Coordinates of all heavy atoms in Angstrom, one line a residue:
M91 N -93.4 224.2 106.7 CA -94.6 224.9 106.3 C -95.2 224.1 105.2 O -94.6 223.7 104.2 CB -94.2 226.3 105.8 CG -95.3 227.0 105.2 SD -94.9 228.6 104.6 CE -94.3 228.3 103.0
A92 N -96.5 223.9 105.3 CA -97.3 223.2 104.3 C -97.7 224.2 103.2 O -98.0 225.4 103.5 CB -98.5 222.6 104.9
L93 N -97.7 223.7 102.0 CA -98.1 224.5 100.9 C -99.6 224.6 100.8 O -100.3 223.7 101.2 CB -97.6 223.9 99.6 CG -96.1 223.8 99.3 CD1 -95.8 223.0 98.1 CD2 -95.5 225.2 99.3
I94 N -100.1 225.8 100.5 CA -101.5 226.0 100.3 C -101.9 225.6 98.9 O -101.2 225.8 97.9 CB -101.9 227.4 100.6 CG1 -103.4 227.6 100.6 CG2 -101.3 228.4 99.6 CD1 -103.9 229.0 101.1
T95 N -103.0 224.9 98.7 CA -103.4 224.4 97.4 C -104.4 225.3 96.8 O -105.0 226.1 97.4 CB -104.1 223.0 97.6 OG1 -105.3 223.2 98.3 CG2 -103.2 222.0 98.3
P96 N -104.5 225.2 95.4 CA -105.5 226.1 94.7 C -106.9 225.8 95.3 O -107.7 226.8 95.4 CB -105.4 225.6 93.3 CG -104.0 225.2 93.1 CD -103.7 224.5 94.5
H97 N -107.2 224.6 95.6 CA -108.5 224.3 96.2 C -108.8 225.1 97.5 O -109.9 225.6 97.7 CB -108.7 222.8 96.4 CG -110.0 222.4 97.0 ND1 -111.2 222.4 96.3 CD2 -110.3 222.0 98.3 CE1 -112.2 222.0 97.1 NE2 -111.6 221.8 98.3
E98 N -107.8 225.1 98.3 CA -107.9 225.8 99.6 C -108.1 227.3 99.4 O -108.8 228.0 100.1 CB -106.7 225.6 100.5 CG -106.6 224.2 101.0 CD -105.2 224.0 101.7 OE1 -104.2 224.5 101.3 OE2 -105.3 223.1 102.7
I99 N -107.4 227.9 98.4 CA -107.6 229.3 98.1 C -109.0 229.6 97.6 O -109.7 230.5 98.0 CB -106.6 229.8 97.0 CG1 -105.2 229.7 97.6 CG2 -106.9 231.1 96.5 CD1 -104.1 229.9 96.6
R100 N -109.5 228.7 96.7 CA -110.9 228.9 96.1 C -112.0 228.7 97.2 O -113.0 229.4 97.1 CB -111.1 228.0 95.0 CG -110.3 228.3 93.7 CD -110.6 227.4 92.6 NE -109.8 227.7 91.4 CZ -108.7 227.0 91.1 NH1 -108.4 225.9 91.7 NH2 -108.0 227.4 90.0
C101 N -111.7 227.9 98.1 CA -112.8 227.5 99.1 C -112.7 228.3 100.4 O -113.5 228.1 101.3 CB -112.7 226.0 99.4 SG -113.2 225.0 98.0
R102 N -111.7 229.2 100.5 CA -111.5 230.0 101.8 C -112.7 230.9 102.0 O -113.1 231.6 101.0 CB -110.2 230.7 101.7 CG -109.9 231.6 102.9 CD -109.3 230.8 104.1 NE -108.1 230.1 103.9 CZ -106.9 230.5 104.2 NH1 -106.7 231.6 104.8 NH2 -105.8 229.7 104.0
L103 N -113.3 230.9 103.1 CA -114.4 231.8 103.4 C -113.9 232.9 104.4 O -113.1 232.6 105.3 CB -115.5 231.0 104.1 CG -116.2 229.9 103.3 CD1 -117.2 229.1 104.1 CD2 -116.8 230.5 102.0
F104 N -114.4 234.1 104.2 CA -114.0 235.2 105.0 C -115.2 235.7 105.7 O -116.3 235.7 105.3 CB -113.4 236.3 104.1 CG -112.2 235.9 103.3 CD1 -112.3 235.7 101.9 CD2 -111.0 235.8 103.9 CE1 -111.2 235.4 101.2 CE2 -109.9 235.4 103.2 CZ -110.0 235.2 101.8
T105 N -114.9 236.3 106.9 CA -115.9 237.0 107.7 C -116.2 238.3 107.0 O -115.3 239.0 106.5 CB -115.3 237.3 109.1 OG1 -114.9 236.1 109.7 CG2 -116.4 237.9 110.0
T106 N -117.5 238.6 106.9 CA -117.9 239.9 106.3 C -118.2 240.9 107.4 O -118.6 240.5 108.5 CB -119.1 239.8 105.4 OG1 -120.1 239.1 106.1 CG2 -118.7 238.9 104.2
R107 N -117.9 242.2 107.1 CA -118.2 243.2 108.1 C -119.0 244.3 107.4 O -119.0 244.5 106.2 CB -116.9 243.8 108.6 CG -116.0 242.8 109.3 CD -114.8 243.4 109.8 NE -114.0 242.3 110.5 CZ -113.5 242.4 111.7 NH1 -113.5 243.5 112.3 NH2 -112.8 241.4 112.2
G108 N -119.7 245.0 108.2 CA -120.5 246.1 107.7 C -121.9 245.7 107.4 O -122.1 244.5 107.2
W109 N -122.8 246.6 107.5 CA -124.2 246.3 107.2 C -124.6 246.7 105.8 O -125.1 245.9 105.0 CB -125.1 247.0 108.3 CG -126.5 246.8 108.0 CD1 -127.2 245.6 108.2 CD2 -127.4 247.7 107.5 NE1 -128.5 245.7 107.9 CE2 -128.7 247.0 107.4 CE3 -127.4 249.0 107.1 CZ2 -129.8 247.6 107.0 CZ3 -128.5 249.6 106.6 CH2 -129.7 248.9 106.6
L110 N -124.3 247.9 105.5 CA -124.7 248.4 104.2 C -123.7 248.1 103.1 O -124.0 247.6 102.0 CB -124.9 249.9 104.2 CG -125.5 250.6 103.0 CD1 -126.8 250.0 102.6 CD2 -125.7 252.1 103.2
H111 N -122.5 248.3 103.4 CA -121.4 248.0 102.5 C -120.6 246.8 103.0 O -119.7 246.9 103.9 CB -120.4 249.2 102.3 CG -121.1 250.4 101.8 ND1 -121.5 250.5 100.5 CD2 -121.4 251.6 102.4 CE1 -122.0 251.7 100.3 NE2 -122.0 252.4 101.4
Q112 N -121.0 245.6 102.5 CA -120.3 244.4 103.0 C -118.9 244.4 102.5 O -118.6 244.7 101.4 CB -121.0 243.2 102.4 CG -122.4 243.0 102.9 CD -122.5 242.3 104.2 OE1 -121.6 241.6 104.6 NE2 -123.5 242.7 105.0
S113 N -118.0 244.0 103.4 CA -116.5 243.9 103.1 C -115.9 242.8 103.8 O -116.5 242.3 104.8 CB -115.8 245.3 103.4 OG -115.9 245.5 104.8
Y114 N -114.8 242.3 103.3 CA -114.1 241.2 104.0 C -113.2 241.7 105.1 O -112.7 242.8 105.0 CB -113.3 240.4 103.0 CG -114.1 239.7 101.9 CD1 -114.0 240.0 100.6 CD2 -115.0 238.7 102.3 CE1 -114.7 239.4 99.6 CE2 -115.8 238.1 101.3 CZ -115.6 238.4 100.0 OH -116.4 237.8 99.0
D115 N -112.9 240.8 106.1 CA -112.0 241.2 107.1 C -110.6 241.2 106.5 O -110.1 240.2 105.9 CB -112.0 240.1 108.2 CG -111.1 240.4 109.4 OD1 -110.5 241.5 109.4 OD2 -111.0 239.5 110.2
A116 N -110.0 242.4 106.6 CA -108.7 242.6 105.9 C -107.6 241.7 106.5 O -106.7 241.2 105.7 CB -108.2 244.1 106.1
D117 N -107.6 241.4 107.7 CA -106.6 240.5 108.3 C -106.7 239.1 107.7 O -105.7 238.4 107.5 CB -106.7 240.4 109.9 CG -106.4 241.7 110.5 OD1 -105.6 242.5 109.9 OD2 -106.8 242.0 111.7
E118 N -107.9 238.6 107.5 CA -108.1 237.2 107.0 C -107.6 237.2 105.5 O -107.0 236.2 105.1 CB -109.6 236.8 107.0 CG -110.1 236.6 108.4 CD -111.6 236.2 108.5 OE1 -112.2 236.1 107.4 OE2 -112.1 236.0 109.6
V119 N -107.9 238.2 104.8 CA -107.4 238.3 103.4 C -105.9 238.4 103.3 O -105.3 237.7 102.5 CB -108.1 239.5 102.6 CG1 -107.5 239.7 101.2 CG2 -109.6 239.4 102.6
D120 N -105.3 239.2 104.2 CA -103.9 239.3 104.3 C -103.2 238.0 104.6 O -102.2 237.6 104.0 CB -103.4 240.4 105.3 CG -103.7 241.8 104.9 OD1 -103.9 242.0 103.7 OD2 -103.7 242.7 105.7
D121 N -103.8 237.2 105.5 CA -103.3 235.9 105.9 C -103.3 235.0 104.7 O -102.4 234.2 104.4 CB -104.1 235.3 107.0 CG -103.8 236.0 108.4 OD1 -102.8 236.7 108.5 OD2 -104.7 235.8 109.3
L122 N -104.4 235.0 103.9 CA -104.5 234.1 102.7 C -103.5 234.5 101.7 O -102.8 233.7 101.1 CB -105.9 234.2 102.1 CG -106.1 233.5 100.7 CD1 -105.9 232.0 100.9 CD2 -107.4 233.9 100.1
L123 N -103.3 235.8 101.5 CA -102.3 236.3 100.5 C -100.9 235.9 100.9 O -100.0 235.5 100.1 CB -102.4 237.8 100.3 CG -103.7 238.2 99.6 CD1 -103.8 239.8 99.5 CD2 -103.7 237.7 98.2
D124 N -100.6 236.0 102.2 CA -99.3 235.6 102.8 C -99.0 234.1 102.5 O -97.9 233.7 102.1 CB -99.1 235.9 104.3 CG -99.0 237.4 104.5 OD1 -98.7 238.2 103.6 OD2 -99.3 237.8 105.7
D125 N -100.0 233.3 102.8 CA -99.9 231.8 102.6 C -99.7 231.5 101.1 O -98.9 230.7 100.8 CB -101.2 231.1 103.1 CG -101.3 231.1 104.6 OD1 -100.3 231.4 105.3 OD2 -102.4 230.8 105.1
A126 N -100.5 232.2 100.3 CA -100.3 232.0 98.8 C -99.0 232.4 98.3 O -98.3 231.7 97.5 CB -101.5 232.7 98.1
A127 N -98.5 233.5 98.8 CA -97.2 234.0 98.4 C -96.1 233.1 98.8 O -95.1 232.8 98.1 CB -96.9 235.4 98.9
D128 N -96.1 232.6 100.1 CA -95.1 231.7 100.6 C -95.1 230.4 99.7 O -94.1 229.8 99.4 CB -95.4 231.3 102.0 CG -95.1 232.5 102.9 OD1 -94.4 233.5 102.5 OD2 -95.6 232.5 104.1
S129 N -96.3 229.9 99.4 CA -96.4 228.6 98.6 C -95.9 228.9 97.2 O -95.1 228.0 96.7 CB -97.9 228.2 98.5 OG -98.4 227.8 99.8
L130 N -96.2 230.0 96.6 CA -95.7 230.3 95.3 C -94.2 230.4 95.3 O -93.5 229.9 94.4 CB -96.4 231.6 94.8 CG -96.0 232.0 93.4 CD1 -96.3 230.9 92.3 CD2 -96.6 233.3 93.0
E131 N -93.6 231.0 96.3 CA -92.2 231.1 96.4 C -91.5 229.8 96.5 O -90.5 229.5 95.8 CB -91.8 232.0 97.6 CG -90.4 232.3 97.8 CD -90.1 233.2 98.9 OE1 -90.9 233.2 99.9 OE2 -89.1 233.9 98.9
L132 N -92.0 228.9 97.3 CA -91.5 227.5 97.4 C -91.6 226.7 96.1 O -90.6 226.1 95.7 CB -92.1 226.8 98.6 CG -91.8 227.2 100.0 CD1 -92.6 226.4 101.0 CD2 -90.3 227.0 100.2
V133 N -92.7 226.8 95.5 CA -92.9 226.1 94.2 C -92.0 226.7 93.2 O -91.4 225.9 92.4 CB -94.4 226.1 93.8 CG1 -94.6 225.6 92.4 CG2 -95.2 225.3 94.8
S134 N -91.8 228.0 93.1 CA -91.0 228.6 92.1 C -89.5 228.2 92.3 O -88.8 227.9 91.4 CB -91.1 230.1 92.2 OG -92.4 230.5 91.9
L135 N -89.1 228.2 93.6 CA -87.7 227.7 93.9 C -87.5 226.3 93.5 O -86.5 225.9 92.9 CB -87.5 227.9 95.4 CG -86.1 227.6 95.9 CD1 -85.0 228.5 95.2 CD2 -86.0 227.8 97.4
W136 N -88.5 225.4 93.8 CA -88.4 224.0 93.4 C -88.3 223.9 91.9 O -87.5 223.1 91.4 CB -89.6 223.3 94.0 CG -89.7 221.9 93.6 CD1 -89.0 220.8 94.1 CD2 -90.4 221.3 92.5 NE1 -89.3 219.7 93.5 CE2 -90.1 219.9 92.4 CE3 -91.2 221.9 91.5 CZ2 -90.7 219.1 91.5 CZ3 -91.7 221.0 90.5 CH2 -91.5 219.7 90.5
A137 N -89.1 224.6 91.2 CA -89.0 224.6 89.7 C -87.7 225.0 89.2 O -87.1 224.4 88.3 CB -90.2 225.4 89.1
L138 N -87.1 226.1 89.8 CA -85.8 226.6 89.3 C -84.7 225.5 89.6 O -83.9 225.3 88.7 CB -85.5 227.9 90.1 CG -84.2 228.5 89.7 CD1 -84.2 229.0 88.3 CD2 -83.9 229.7 90.7
I139 N -84.8 224.9 90.7 CA -83.8 223.9 91.1 C -83.9 222.7 90.1 O -82.9 222.2 89.6 CB -83.9 223.5 92.6 CG1 -83.4 224.6 93.5 CG2 -83.1 222.2 92.8 CD1 -83.8 224.4 94.9
T140 N -85.1 222.3 89.9 CA -85.4 221.1 89.0 C -84.9 221.4 87.6 O -84.3 220.6 87.0 CB -86.9 220.8 89.0 OG1 -87.3 220.5 90.4 CG2 -87.2 219.6 88.2
H141 N -85.2 222.6 87.1 CA -84.8 223.0 85.8 C -83.3 223.0 85.7 O -82.7 222.5 84.7 CB -85.4 224.4 85.4 CG -85.0 224.9 84.1 ND1 -85.5 224.3 82.9 CD2 -84.1 225.8 83.7 CE1 -84.9 224.9 81.9 NE2 -84.1 225.9 82.3
S142 N -82.6 223.6 86.7 CA -81.1 223.6 86.7 C -80.5 222.2 86.7 O -79.6 222.0 86.0 CB -80.6 224.4 87.9 OG -81.1 225.7 87.9
R143 N -81.1 221.3 87.5 CA -80.6 220.0 87.5 C -80.8 219.3 86.2 O -79.9 218.5 85.7 CB -81.3 219.2 88.6 CG -80.8 219.6 90.0 CD -81.5 218.7 91.0 NE -81.0 219.1 92.4 CZ -81.5 218.6 93.5 NH1 -82.5 217.7 93.4 NH2 -81.0 219.0 94.6
M144 N -82.0 219.5 85.5 CA -82.2 218.9 84.3 C -81.2 219.4 83.2 O -80.7 218.6 82.4 CB -83.7 219.1 83.8 CG -84.7 218.3 84.6 SD -86.4 218.7 84.1 CE -86.3 218.5 82.3
R145 N -81.0 220.7 83.2 CA -80.0 221.2 82.2 C -78.6 220.7 82.5 O -77.9 220.3 81.5 CB -80.0 222.8 82.4 CG -81.3 223.5 82.0 CD -81.4 223.8 80.6 NE -80.2 224.5 80.1 CZ -80.2 225.2 79.0 NH1 -81.3 225.3 78.3 NH2 -79.2 225.9 78.7
A146 N -78.2 220.5 83.7 CA -76.9 220.0 84.0 C -76.8 218.5 83.6 O -75.8 218.1 83.0 CB -76.6 220.1 85.5
L147 N -77.9 217.7 83.8 CA -77.9 216.4 83.4 C -77.8 216.3 81.8 O -77.1 215.4 81.3 CB -79.1 215.6 83.9 CG -79.1 215.3 85.4 CD1 -80.5 214.8 85.8 CD2 -78.0 214.3 85.7
Q148 N -78.6 217.1 81.2 CA -78.6 217.1 79.7 C -77.2 217.5 79.2 O -76.7 216.9 78.2 CB -79.7 218.0 79.2 CG -81.1 217.5 79.3 CD -82.1 218.6 79.0 OE1 -81.8 219.7 78.8 NE2 -83.4 218.2 78.9
A149 N -76.6 218.5 79.8 CA -75.3 218.9 79.3 C -74.3 217.8 79.5 O -73.4 217.5 78.7 CB -74.8 220.2 80.0
G150 N -74.4 217.1 80.7 CA -73.5 216.0 81.0 C -73.7 214.8 80.0 O -72.8 214.2 79.6
H151 N -75.0 214.6 79.7 CA -75.3 213.5 78.8 C -74.7 213.8 77.4 O -74.2 212.9 76.7 CB -76.8 213.3 78.7 CG -77.2 212.2 77.7 ND1 -77.0 210.9 78.0 CD2 -77.9 212.3 76.6 CE1 -77.5 210.2 76.9 NE2 -78.0 211.0 76.1
Q152 N -74.9 215.0 76.9 CA -74.4 215.4 75.6 C -72.9 215.3 75.6 O -72.3 214.8 74.6 CB -74.8 216.8 75.2 CG -76.3 216.9 74.9 CD -76.7 218.4 74.7 OE1 -75.9 219.3 75.0 NE2 -77.9 218.6 74.3
H153 N -72.2 215.7 76.6 CA -70.8 215.6 76.7 C -70.3 214.1 76.6 O -69.4 213.7 75.9 CB -70.3 216.2 78.0 CG -68.8 216.0 78.2 ND1 -67.9 216.7 77.5 CD2 -68.1 215.2 79.0 CE1 -66.6 216.4 77.8 NE2 -66.7 215.5 78.8
R154 N -71.1 213.2 77.3 CA -70.7 211.8 77.3 C -71.0 211.2 75.9 O -70.2 210.4 75.4 CB -71.6 211.0 78.3 CG -70.9 211.1 79.7 CD -71.7 210.2 80.6 NE -72.4 211.1 81.5 CZ -73.7 211.1 81.9 NH1 -74.4 210.1 81.4 NH2 -74.2 212.0 82.6
R155 N -72.1 211.7 75.2 CA -72.3 211.2 73.9 C -71.2 211.6 72.9 O -70.8 210.8 72.1 CB -73.7 211.8 73.4 CG -74.7 210.8 73.3 CD -76.0 211.3 72.7 NE -75.9 212.2 71.6 CZ -76.7 213.2 71.4 NH1 -77.7 213.5 72.2 NH2 -76.5 214.0 70.4
H156 N -70.8 212.8 73.0 CA -69.7 213.3 72.1 C -68.4 212.5 72.4 O -67.7 212.2 71.5 CB -69.5 214.8 72.3 CG -70.6 215.6 71.7 ND1 -70.9 215.6 70.4 CD2 -71.5 216.4 72.3 CE1 -71.9 216.4 70.2 NE2 -72.3 216.9 71.3
S157 N -68.2 212.3 73.7 CA -67.0 211.5 74.1 C -67.0 210.1 73.5 O -66.0 209.6 73.0 CB -66.9 211.5 75.6 OG -65.8 210.8 76.0
L158 N -68.2 209.5 73.6 CA -68.3 208.1 73.0 C -68.1 208.1 71.5 O -67.5 207.2 71.0 CB -69.7 207.5 73.4 CG -69.9 207.1 74.8 CD1 -71.3 206.7 75.1 CD2 -69.0 205.9 75.2
K159 N -68.6 209.1 70.8 CA -68.4 209.2 69.4 C -67.0 209.3 69.1 O -66.5 208.6 68.1 CB -69.2 210.4 68.8 CG -70.7 210.2 68.6 CD -71.3 211.4 68.0 CE -72.8 211.3 67.8 NZ -73.4 212.5 67.2
R160 N -66.2 210.1 69.8 CA -64.8 210.3 69.6 C -64.1 208.9 69.8 O -63.2 208.6 69.0 CB -64.2 211.4 70.5 CG -64.4 212.7 69.9 CD -63.7 213.8 70.7 NE -64.7 214.5 71.5 CZ -64.8 214.6 72.8 NH1 -63.8 214.2 73.5 NH2 -65.7 215.3 73.3
R161 N -64.5 208.2 70.9 CA -63.8 206.9 71.1 C -64.1 205.9 70.0 O -63.2 205.2 69.6 CB -64.3 206.4 72.5 CG -63.8 207.1 73.7 CD -64.3 206.5 75.0 NE -64.0 207.5 76.0 CZ -64.7 207.4 77.2 NH1 -65.6 206.5 77.4 NH2 -64.4 208.3 78.1
R162 N -65.3 205.9 69.6 CA -65.7 205.0 68.5 C -64.9 205.3 67.2 O -64.4 204.4 66.6 CB -67.2 205.1 68.1 CG -68.0 204.3 69.1 CD -69.5 204.2 68.6 NE -70.3 204.1 69.8 CZ -71.3 205.0 70.1 NH1 -71.6 206.0 69.3 NH2 -72.0 204.8 71.2
K163 N -64.7 206.6 66.9 CA -64.0 207.0 65.7 C -62.5 206.5 65.9 O -61.9 206.0 64.9 CB -64.0 208.5 65.5 CG -65.3 208.9 64.9 CD -65.3 210.4 64.7 CE -66.7 210.9 64.2 NZ -66.7 212.4 64.1
T164 N -62.0 206.7 67.1 CA -60.6 206.3 67.3 C -60.4 204.8 67.2 O -59.5 204.3 66.6 CB -60.1 206.8 68.7 OG1 -60.3 208.2 68.8 CG2 -58.7 206.4 69.0
I165 N -61.4 204.1 67.7 CA -61.3 202.6 67.7 C -61.4 202.1 66.2 O -60.7 201.3 65.8 CB -62.4 202.0 68.5 CG1 -62.1 202.2 70.0 CG2 -62.6 200.5 68.2 CD1 -63.2 201.8 70.9
N166 N -62.3 202.8 65.5 CA -62.5 202.4 64.0 C -61.2 202.7 63.2 O -60.8 201.9 62.4 CB -63.7 203.1 63.4 CG -65.0 202.5 63.9 OD1 -65.1 201.4 64.4 ND2 -66.1 203.3 63.9
R167 N -60.6 203.8 63.5 CA -59.4 204.2 62.8 C -58.3 203.2 63.1 O -57.5 202.8 62.2 CB -58.9 205.6 63.2 CG -59.6 206.7 62.3 CD -59.0 208.0 62.6 NE -60.1 208.8 63.2 CZ -59.9 209.6 64.2 NH1 -58.7 209.8 64.8 NH2 -60.9 210.2 64.7
R168 N -58.1 202.8 64.4 CA -57.1 201.9 64.7 C -57.4 200.5 64.1 O -56.4 199.8 63.8 CB -57.0 201.8 66.3 CG -56.4 203.0 66.9 CD -56.2 202.9 68.3 NE -55.7 204.1 68.9 CZ -55.6 204.3 70.2 NH1 -56.0 203.4 71.1 NH2 -55.1 205.4 70.6
G169 N -58.6 200.1 64.0 CA -59.0 198.8 63.5 C -58.7 198.7 62.0 O -58.5 197.7 61.5
R170 N -58.8 199.9 61.3 CA -58.5 199.9 59.9 C -57.1 199.8 59.5 O -56.7 199.4 58.4 CB -59.1 201.2 59.3 CG -60.6 201.2 59.3 CD -61.1 202.5 58.7 NE -62.5 202.7 59.0 CZ -63.1 203.8 59.0 NH1 -62.5 204.9 58.7 NH2 -64.4 203.9 59.2
K171 N -56.2 200.1 60.4 CA -54.7 200.1 60.1 C -54.2 198.8 60.1 O -54.5 197.8 60.5 CB -54.0 201.0 61.2 CG -54.3 202.4 61.1 CD -53.5 203.2 62.1 CE -53.8 204.7 62.0 NZ -53.1 205.4 63.0

């Protein structure tokens, strides 16, 4: 499924009905809202996954940094003896 872009939403034209009280075709509006909701759901899921991966990488990086500090301290202590 292709994502709908903001440009496509803004430029979508609808069929009007009625003579005195102009209104949009409800089916066309429903289709646009369905497409927009599907796109928003996919983008939100992608953002959640990306955020989770970044947090995991940051946590792993911090763990490695602390581990390297401990190793350096141990090496320095052994070198002083």
Side-chain angles (χ1 to χ4, degrees):
M91 173 179 84
L93 297 175
I94 188 170
T95 65
H97 177 73
E98 291 172 328
I99 293 170
R100 289 184 183 102
C101 293
R102 181 81 57 105
L103 297 176
F104 298 107
T105 305
T106 55
R107 297 183 182 226
W109 177 73
L110 185 57
H111 299 289
Q112 292 282 329
S113 63
Y114 295 118
D115 182 7
D117 291 335
E118 291 178 2
V119 173
D120 287 343
D121 290 342
L122 173 66
L123 291 174
D124 288 341
D125 290 346
D128 291 343
S129 295
L130 181 60
E131 185 176 27
L132 286 175
V133 169
S134 297
L135 181 61
W136 176 82
L138 179 66
I139 290 169
T140 302
H141 179 71
S142 296
R143 286 182 179 173
M144 285 177 54
R145 296 275 303 201
L147 287 172
Q148 288 172 349
H151 178 69
Q152 289 173 353
H153 176 71
R154 277 185 251 131
R155 250 184 39 216
H156 291 294
S157 178
L158 286 173
K159 281 183 182 179
R160 276 187 255 124
R161 288 181 194 159
R162 280 189 208 122
K163 285 180 183 178
T164 304
I165 290 170
N166 287 340
R167 272 187 250 139
R168 287 182 184 171
R170 290 180 193 157
K171 292 181 182 179

